[in-house]
Amino acid sequence: MKNTSIKIIPLSKADYDAWLKLWQGYLIFYETRLPPSTTEKTWRNLLDSNMPIYGFGAWVDETLVGITHVVLHPNTWNTTECCYLEDLYVSESARGQGIGSALIEQVYDFADKQHCNRVYWTTQEGNTTARKLYDAIATQTDMVQYRKKL
């Protein structure tokens, strides 16, 4: 890790404004828009201890510079849950400092403590910068994702 002052902790209610700024940056990066109600529901789910959705923030000094959200779920190929790393975003000004890697390592540690059998995620094929990191810390599968919006 290039920046030893990175602190990664679960997101809390007090982090909303800083989280929202990063969440909006993440949506812009993926060229998408969500209704405010979806963003509000996502935030509530991240804080709801009855939901299997968790959020972590990466802090440098007193600034939130990165976020990740994970979803734990059962599966049919194992007796323990999987951890889906659904969202990962680091602010442009903080990239290249090891923050993305630190967030993923936090997810690995969290999933291990939850007795998950694997952590997995998807990214866009053209997201070459992130894929260099992912290639270094995980194994790319040969699976192809299909989707039907309902």
Side-chain angles (χ1 to χ4, degrees):
M1 188 177 339
K2 297 176 185 173
N3 187 331
T4 56
S5 65
I6 300 168
K7 178 174 68 171
I8 301 189
I9 56 176
L11 293 168
S12 71
K13 190 174 182 179
D15 302 330
Y16 177 76
D17 290 336
W19 170 85
L20 182 60
K21 183 178 178 185
L22 291 176
W23 178 245
Q24 290 170 336
Y26 178 69
L27 296 177
I28 289 167
F29 178 82
Y30 278 109
E31 299 176 349
T32 193
R33 299 180 131 218
L34 295 175
S37 60
T38 300
T39 293
E40 292 164 15
K41 179 71 171 169
T42 297
W43 180 250
R44 284 193 309 273
N45 286 342
L46 290 169
L47 300 180
D48 185 344
S49 62
N50 294 314
M51 294 294 293
I53 300 173
Y54 304 87
F56 298 95
W59 298 83
V60 174
D61 299 321
E62 299 300 314
T63 304
L64 183 64
V65 296
I67 55 172
T68 189
H69 307 142
V70 299
V71 179
L72 303 186
H73 66 86
N75 64 101
T76 61
W77 286 34
N78 206 302
T79 59
T80 59
E81 292 183 315
C82 294
C83 179
Y84 176 50
L85 194 165
E86 188 164 15
D87 308 305
L88 175 70
Y89 183 75
V90 175
S91 66
E92 287 187 43
S93 63
R95 292 182 187 158
Q97 299 178 39
I99 294 163
S101 177
L103 282 163
I104 293 171
E105 289 297 330
Q106 170 64 35
V107 171
Y108 287 169
D109 185 57
F110 172 76
D112 186 53
K113 287 178 180 167
Q114 299 297 316
H115 307 290
C116 293
N117 60 73
R118 69 180 172 270
V119 174
Y120 72 101
W121 63 92
T122 63
T123 193
Q124 288 179 330
E125 186 175 7
N127 192 356
T128 55
T129 301
R131 289 185 66 195
K132 285 179 188 173
L133 168 63
Y134 303 159
D135 287 343
I137 62 173
T139 303
Q140 180 182 346
T141 71
D142 62 354
M143 300 302 289
V144 177
Q145 183 183 64
Y146 291 87
R147 189 178 290 187
K148 165 94 171 112
K149 289 195 173 199
L150 302 175

